Amino acid sequence: MKMNSSTLFVVCLLGIIANVNAKECRATIQDACRPYINKQSNPLLESTCNARYGAIGHLEPDLVKYATSHLVKSFEYLLMSTHFGNYDMNREGFEKLFRGYSDSKWADTIELIKHITKRGGKMNFSPISTSADNYELYEIESLAKALDMEKSSMNDAYLIHERAIRKIDSSHDPEISHYIEEEFVEKEAGTIRELTGYITELSQMLAESEDNGLALHFFDDYLKGL
Amino acid sequence: MKSIVAFAFLAVVISAVSSELHCTVKRPNIPNDWIDMVRPCVEEMKKQIQKEINASMKYLAMGAHFSRDTVNRPGFAKYFFEAASEEREHAIKLIKYLLMRGELVSGVSKLIKTSFDALPTTHWNNAVAALEDALKTEAEVTKSIRNVISVCEEPNDNSRFNDYHLSDYLTGEFLEEQYKGQRDIAGKISNSRNLWATMVNLENSCSIKNCCKQCKIKYSRPQFV
Ligand SMILES: [Fe+2]
């Protein structure tokens, strides 16, 4: 009996603590609306009156990292595009291709930020340090780098997806796994296939001729016309 | 047609001989007399590109802040996301200009930093505070563009090269947009403040029922949704 009552006490205490930590929104609102209760400065701040549910708490850092990596890649593609735009390289097709990738990564950065906030998350703009890289590449080298970049992006998407579909370690979140599939995985598969096609085509053209100036010119013209 | 067949034949023969790729071409020597921008001016332009990107980052952070569920100002979020994209476009326009003038043949890899420092602020108390911050940023950008123009008109390298075309371009395209943009933001600050004052007055002077019609008019301004 004594044992029982103390257990009950502990259970009640735990219940109260749990209640304080994750107070339901309605209860918070009711407290806030009660006239003579001792009110916190902003009771809504620590309540569940927000858009957080599911595994956003677990997946938020991954999504922020994913958005940040899109942002960095958008600038990397912009530099690659710039290099092909100078009068010496003069490859309008390559310039256009990488500008397109840069624009798309930029737009996806904003979309990701919107989605993070849609789920009650917060985009984190902490400092990003990336190793200094060379973006002044020759034609086929630039396509190869782009393929590596896209595969790494796809890998990021798969990692988030893998966590989101796992029911263990409370990272299960169908909304996020669906979002990643619908908005990123599908498009990324297309980009990876497109780049591989370019590399196959151009390397065949380059293998076939000692004077590759013509091959590169034709290939650039092809990219320009897309 | 004949020549294509001959070319294909030749290609097959060559590929049978060598399997290694010849990936680069020798660049022809191009006369560079036409490239007339002077170093101090080019350097200022390059700095300006990074400044536009920095402004873009700031507006991106504002967009992110006003998108938050517990901040909830979607109209402002949209406005700042668009501003971020515009600043990025400005950086690209400056890059395009330098390319047109025969610049950026080398050193492109360091043109824009792909590492970012921490942003000074990622939280704004309200929309007016963010607009005021934006107006301050725009004023700094305007000052910076004026500085680029002044360096490019009178570079301190004994060249005495007055870059008429660049200063005309920056004045016509960039300063024009700066002044219009600043006026637009100042107007938005004024609107927001007026709206706030009106709401306070309404609460003090009449019942919500009577003022409902007026409230609706004030609330229906699209940028304050
Ligand atoms: Fe700008």
Side-chain angles (χ1 to χ4, degrees), chain A residues 69-127:
Chain A
S69 126
H70 272 74
L71 186 60
V72 171
K73 286 190 173 81
S74 102
F75 290 126
E76 292 185 298
Y77 277 132
L78 186 57
L79 293 176
M80 285 158 78
S81 165
T82 300
H83 173 62
F84 285 109
N86 75 42
Y87 76 90
D88 198 34
M89 292 303 288
N90 202 39
R91 299 280 186 224
E92 282 179 65
F94 282 88
E95 184 187 13
K96 186 182 154 197
L97 179 75
F98 293 127
R99 173 68 199 279
Y101 288 165
S102 174
D103 289 352
S104 146
K105 285 275 181 279
W106 173 260
D108 284 347
T109 306
I110 294 178
E111 281 314 307
L112 273 162
I113 294 175
K114 283 184 185 167
H115 202 83
I116 290 167
T117 60
K118 183 182 191 175
R119 293 295 309 273
K122 182 177 183 248
M123 179 60 189
N124 190 348
F125 289 92
S126 55

Side-chain angles (χ1 to χ4, degrees), chain B residues 52 87 90 138 141 178:
Chain B
E52 300 288 345
E87 294 310 321
H90 294 167
E138 288 306 312
V141 170
Q178 284 306 119

Side-chain angles (χ1 to χ4, degrees), chain A residues 199-216:
Chain A
I199 293 169
T200 307
E201 182 70 21
L202 186 57
S203 55
Q204 275 167 11
M205 288 168 82
L206 291 174
E208 282 164 7
S209 166
E210 285 276 350
D211 174 25
N212 50 43
L214 202 63
L216 289 168

